[in-house]
Amino acid sequence: MMMQPFTESHRQKVLVTAYLQIVVVALMTLFTCVMAACILLSLGTPAESAPAVTCAGVITALNFLIVAVLIWSIRGTILDLRSNMAAVQHARLSHKRIRSRPSSSGGIPKIYLAEFEEIGKLSVSEEEYEQLQEGRAYRVVYAPRAGVLLEYGSL
């Protein structure tokens, strides 16, 4: 694997990824705090409130665990930005897939993934997803810790 400095477009793509990750962490943290506050505010007498306090504690702990994992993933993106280096490798596209997640707004945002041999899964744009062909070899430029495809070219 070779390394090359980020171009301005590479840097912008990784920055967008970082901003999206930060927004998700902020929303999860806000959701956790609001949920815990709602449960604790709905408490009745001490005898009635024990199960609710336990439930609030478990839910809050699980959400903070999710936030910790999200922060860990942001760490990789920030390290890529600080290093200002992209990985360059020749690899064959083994397969691609779309992952959908329901959102609170009712829509289903799609996450486009491309899996390259010797590299693994990389996040790609919808346009890149449509253009990439399974089984073909590419020169792949990517952010190694963030797992984001920055540029590619056919071999």
Side-chain angles (χ1 to χ4, degrees), residues 63-83:
N63 279 325
F64 277 120
L65 180 64
I66 291 169
V67 168
V69 168
L70 291 171
I71 289 172
W72 185 258
S73 73
I74 291 172
R75 177 189 159 278
T77 305
I78 290 170
L79 288 172
D80 279 338
L81 286 168
R82 287 188 63 196
S83 75

Side-chain angles (χ1 to χ4, degrees), residues 12-24 74 77-78 81 146 148:
Q12 290 301 316
K13 200 167 186 182
V14 176
L15 273 172
V16 167
T17 301
Y19 291 144
L20 290 174
Q21 290 172 327
I22 290 168
V23 167
V24 169
I74 291 172
T77 305
I78 290 170
L81 286 168
V148 176

